[in-house]
Structure formats: C-alpha cells, structure tokens
Amino acid sequence: MLRSRTLPLPAYILVIVVLAVLFVIDVAAPPRADAAERGTGFGTWAPISAYGWHGSMLIDGVHTYCITPGAPAPTGPSSDHGISGSAAGLSSQQLAGINLLVSAYGQTDDPVQAAAVAWAVKAIANREETLHAFGYRGDSLAGAIHWTMSALAPQHDLAVQERAVAYYDEAVRAAQNAVDASGSLAFSTDPADHRTGTVRVDATSAATGTVTLVNAVFATTGTPTLEGATAGTTYAIRTVQPEPGRAYTVSGTGRLTAGLPAAVRHYTTPGGQQTAGPAGVVPFDIAGADAAPRVPPFSPSIATQVPARETAPGPYIDQVTFAAEDGSWPRAEDRSYLPVTARAVVYRTDTEPVPNSEVPEDATVAGTLQVTTDPVLGPTTAYTVTSPWEMTAPGFYTAVWSVSGADQITAVAAHTGPEFVWAERFGEPSQVAVVAPPAVEPTPAPTPAVTTPGPVAADVAPSPPPAALAATGIDVAAVRTPLAIAIGLVSIGVAIVASRRPRFGARLTIR
C-alpha cells in the first residue's frame, strides 16, 4: 500500500518564495526582443574583433545602429524600450539627426550604405569616441574611416568615407532646426467682437494633423474640427456661446504628426551596444485655450414712470423697469441674474421742465434714489422705488436716472466695462411729479351799516355818488331837485283828497 507523502512546512515556504521571485522577475523585466543578428555591413559579427563590425544589426527584422561607440557588438538578446526621446542620454538634436539617418538611409541591404550610416550615427552620438576607437589619432571622420576600412574592406574604403561624411553633415544641419515633437494652440480674441478671433497651431515644423475646437468653429468650414491643420498656420474662428450672458472660454485640442521626430526606437543589450532604430512618424498631442475668458458685452437701460403726475406733499415714488439694450443680461454660475444698480437725482423747479433739456441753473436737488435688481427676478419685473425723504415745497419734481459701470459689482462691470454710463435726459414727462401750492381761503366782505337820513349840514361835504350811478355818467345833484319837487306835489295831492272825504260823525244832507 502506497502512503501519500507531504512536504514539510519549510519546503512549502521555499517553493512559494521561489515562485514569487520568478513572477517578480518576469513582470519587472523590460520587454524582450529577439537577439540581434548581423545585418548589412563589413567586419566580424562578434562582441570583440580586430576591426569591429560596421553596419546594421537586425532586431525583429529592423535595421538598427550602434549609438555607444567602443562597446561590444550587441550579439546577445536585446530589450525593446520603444520610441524614446531620451535614449542613451542624447539630446533632441542628436536623436533627430540619428533618426533621420536610420530612417532615410539605414533600412538598406547595401553594405556600403549601411557602413556609412553606422559611422555617421556613431559620430553624431560621440564623435571623439568614434574617431579614436580603433587607434586613429587624428580629428577627421574620413581619416578615421580610412584608418579602419583600408584594412577591412579597402575596395570600399573611399565610398564609405564619402557617404559617411555626407550623411553626417546632412544630419547635423537637420538637427540644428530640430525640436521636440510638441506644440500648443494659441488663441486670440478680436478686441471689437468677442465672437471672432483666431487660433494658431504652434508645433514642430512641418507637423500636420487634426484640431478640434470647444465653444467655437472654424470660419471657413463652420465646423469645430479641421483636418489637415499645419504647424505655423493661423485660422479664423467664430465662437459659439454656451449660454447667453455668461463669460466663456474657447479651447481646443489637436493630434499631429511631425514626420521624423527627435526620437529613436531604443534597444539595449546587456554588456553590449545600445542601438537605435527608426522612430517612424510619431503622433503627439497639442492643446490650448483663451488666455482670459471672453466676456459678452452688456448695455443695460431703464424705463421710468411716476404713478401720478399731480400729487400731495410726501415721498417721491417711481417705477423702474430694467432692460438689456445690447447683449444679454449677465448671469452667475448658478444661472441667477447678476444684480444691476441704478441711481437717480431728483430736481425741483418752479416751472414745468422742458423735455430733453439741460438741468436749469435754478433747479434744486430734492434728494436721491437707488434701486438694485433682484437676482431671481432680474429684468423681468418693474421695481417701485420710494424716497426716504419727502417733497414738501410746491413745484415740479423730476427724477433723472443713470446706470454706471463703476457702480456695479465686478462680475457685471466685466460685461459693461468700467467706463459704461447710461443716463436719462432731464425733463422726461414720465418723471415729473407736481406738488401744488396750498389752497388760500377767501376773506368774507364786511356787512354795511344802516343809517337814518337827516339834514345835511352846510359844511359837510356831499357823499360820493353811488357806483352804479357813477357808471352811467348822470350828475346826482341834477337829479335831486326834480325829485324834491315831485315829492312836494305828491304831498299836496294827498292833502286835497283827504279834505274832501266825509268826516266821521257829520250828517249827510240830501237835496
């Protein structure tokens, strides 16, 4: 009978530790490529040899070239580090020149061309080390190549010299103008109209790609995305406001390619050379935004109306209605209306104001008024303003309202501008309130006294003629004498009639 056997506890722990170490090594190790193979060129494919290897090394079918002169040839397994803009600690200019050579000339089966590229690449990476690696003591790249190639491949010595020097010079010239594959978008705003402006593609020379705008479109196409955008070009744009009355920012992103960037495909081989393969066309991203938010202009105005023209002494009352004369009413982040403040001076005059005239010199200031809009209601309602002072003196009271950018909060002043002023003209009929003077009670006429006529003394002056008679032009003295005669005649007649009446108690005789 077979008996199952178990490992002691220490053995289990040892197995687990070993597996963990292997896992860490496998995960942490850089990505591996196939071992480098001899490519195209001249010399001995070995880590160390009398004349070295001058040409390309094939890694995964790609021709790569040494960038660390004097190190052993990379005959062992290599690690692929991908596209690098800092391979072997080289500068952008050095990497740009090397990428040009390995991309434009290095992918070849011509041993002369491959050898010339190898010499030029190493000279760009480290000229001094390249010239003297095989014992040459001079300072000429052509001389260093002749020193080695005249013994290794004399029939190709001159051709390798000429091409290597030409490649080196071309790469140095190109590297002087090389920049990193990077860039940005630069926006400008038309000072006269926040809705227009430009975007410029600031990026690596000859870079092209796609740019997409946010809150704007390209003026030529009317769309937010432009294909084929090129570095150094400025494009006109038109903005699309996300919300009326709100400040906004135009931004954009892009993805460009710059041809041959300042980078290489970087490979390393333990104990051997670092090599560079072509980086190809490397895309890169760019972005940008307005330096400051675009603020839509806003010009507020107001309409005013006193409730009644004729009024008793008391407070001055006015109804004020706000409106956006230009632009949209500005709003806060929570979409509430930003508050706008208006002020007024109330003048008193003794005469009716002339509409749209200047304030007369004899006008006096009766008081001031102020109103600020509500964040919820904004310009959607009329505001009733009652003065804290009263109209006491009779006269014509006229309010003159104004809205000034200097009186507004910062968020509103950004829309109006600090110099903005809207002012009402003096004498608007809708703004005139009239306080009449108090009514005057009439004085009653005195009652004339009744007198008994009597003799007129000789020394008493005659009374003035009654007004009615005086108005007729008749002489009162001329009227008095006939009146006295008439009164006398009437008296005689009465006496005669009385003498002929029968007396009481007398006998009547009939004949």
Side-chain angles (χ1 to χ4, degrees), residues 53-79:
W53 171 253
H54 303 280
S56 67
M57 287 70 67
L58 284 172
I59 300 179
D60 295 334
V62 177
H63 291 273
T64 68
Y65 291 82
C66 296
I67 53 177
T68 49
T75 57
S78 300
S79 297

Side-chain angles (χ1 to χ4, degrees), residues 483-497:
L483 181 59
I485 295 173
I487 292 172
L489 290 176
V490 170
S491 299
I492 294 172
V494 170
I496 292 174
V497 171

Side-chain angles (χ1 to χ4, degrees), residues 83-165:
I83 305 300
S84 173
S86 59
L90 300 178
S91 68
S92 297
Q93 287 75 18
Q94 287 173 304
L95 292 174
I98 292 172
N99 189 30
L100 169 65
L101 297 183
V102 299
S103 298
Y105 306 110
Q107 305 306 302
T108 179
D109 293 328
D110 179 357
V112 172
Q113 184 166 313
V117 170
W119 279 97
V121 166
K122 287 185 291 186
I124 292 172
N126 189 327
R127 182 181 174 89
E128 290 299 315
E129 184 67 29
T130 298
L131 295 182
H132 307 130
F134 294 96
Y136 174 67
R137 298 183 181 278
D139 193 32
S140 165
L141 177 60
I145 295 172
H146 173 68
W147 176 273
T148 302
M149 295 301 296
S150 60
L152 178 62
Q155 68 275 28
H156 302 295
D157 176 21
L158 183 60
V160 173
Q161 291 182 50
E162 292 175 347
R163 290 198 194 184
V165 171

Side-chain angles (χ1 to χ4, degrees), residues 326-407:
D326 183 31
S328 301
W329 197 277
R331 292 179 179 262
E333 290 295 330
D334 60 1
R335 302 192 73 254
S336 62
Y337 294 104
L338 289 178
V340 174
T341 297
R343 303 179 189 275
V345 176
V346 182
Y347 298 94
R348 191 194 71 81
T349 57
D350 292 326
T351 58
E352 177 82 23
V354 177
N356 298 325
S357 64
E358 299 295 329
V359 178
E361 294 183 357
D362 60 349
T364 59
V365 176
T368 60
L369 304 172
Q370 180 176 319
V371 62
T372 300
T373 60
D374 184 90
V376 175
L377 300 176
T380 64
T381 187
Y383 295 85
T384 299
V385 185
T386 302
S387 69
W389 44 268
E390 294 192 348
M391 301 178 291
T392 55
F396 298 85
Y397 289 80
T398 306
V400 178
W401 286 91
S402 64
V403 182
S404 172
D407 291 337

Side-chain angles (χ1 to χ4, degrees), residues 184-476:
S184 62
L185 295 173
F187 289 89
S188 70
T189 304
D190 187 340
D193 187 353
H194 69 97
R195 296 166 296 184
T196 61
T198 63
V199 58
R200 186 180 68 252
V201 181
D202 290 338
T204 301
S205 177
T208 61
T210 301
V211 174
T212 300
L213 304 177
V214 177
N215 294 335
V217 297
F218 288 94
T220 55
T221 63
T223 60
T225 299
L226 179 65
E227 302 285 349
T230 59
T233 305
T234 299
Y235 300 94
I237 62 172
R238 297 196 311 269
T239 69
V240 180
Q241 290 181 243
E243 184 176 351
R246 289 277 301 278
Y248 64 103
T249 298
V250 173
S251 61
T253 57
R255 190 164 181 81
L256 308 180
T257 55
L260 297 175
V264 296
R265 187 69 176 263
H266 186 208
Y267 299 92
T268 59
T269 302
Q273 285 277 353
Q274 298 187 63
T275 60
V281 177
V282 178
F284 61 97
D285 295 325
I286 59 175
D290 284 332
R294 297 175 187 242
V295 182
F298 166 58
S299 299
S301 63
I302 57 176
T304 52
Q305 178 67 59
V306 294
R309 175 178 169 83
E310 306 292 337
T311 183
Y316 182 94
I317 302 175
D318 208 352
Q319 291 180 330
V320 180
T321 303
F322 288 81
E325 191 170 276
D326 183 31
S328 301
W329 197 277
R331 292 179 179 262
E333 290 295 330
D334 60 1
R335 302 192 73 254
S336 62
Y337 294 104
L338 289 178
V340 174
T341 297
R343 303 179 189 275
V345 176
V346 182
Y347 298 94
R348 191 194 71 81
T349 57
D350 292 326
T351 58
E352 177 82 23
V354 177
N356 298 325
S357 64
E358 299 295 329
V359 178
E361 294 183 357
D362 60 349
T364 59
V365 176
T368 60
L369 304 172
Q370 180 176 319
V371 62
T372 300
T373 60
D374 184 90
V376 175
L377 300 176
T380 64
T381 187
Y383 295 85
T384 299
V385 185
T386 302
S387 69
W389 44 268
E390 294 192 348
M391 301 178 291
T392 55
F396 298 85
Y397 289 80
T398 306
V400 178
W401 286 91
S402 64
V403 182
S404 172
D407 291 337
Q408 311 307 317
I409 63 174
T410 303
V412 174
H415 291 267
T416 63
E419 305 301 324
F420 170 80
V421 175
W422 179 93
E424 198 173 35
R425 297 288 293 176
F426 175 76
E428 291 288 340
S430 65
Q431 288 299 90
V432 179
V434 182
V435 177
V440 178
E441 293 293 334
T443 304
T447 303
V450 178
T451 57
T452 303
V456 180
D459 58 347
V460 177
S463 300
L469 294 178
T472 64
I474 299 176
D475 187 355
V476 176

